[in-house]
Amino acid sequence: MKTGIHPNYTEINVTCSCGNAFKTGSTMGKDLHIEVCAACHPFYTGKQKMVDTAGRVEKFRQKYGAFKR
């Protein structure tokens, strides 16, 4: 590797909005604050949030009328 052309690779602290914190390596050089991590993301936790699609469809039909074929 050539010297003097690569950014410094340092250890930084990553903090999630759920309160989870961990350390990782980065060339960013400063601490990072994120909104979603593996500890709180529904894909990794297995706790999917159910979306009330039936309510949304019903609201749409009430607002714009029932769809007739």
Side-chain angles (χ1 to χ4, degrees), residues 14-38:
V14 180
T15 307
C16 180
S17 61
C18 71
N20 187 30
F22 56 93
K23 292 182 182 270
T24 188
S26 174
T27 58
M28 201 163 118
K30 60 182 179 177
D31 290 346
L32 182 63
H33 299 281
I34 57 176
E35 294 178 12
V36 179
C37 67

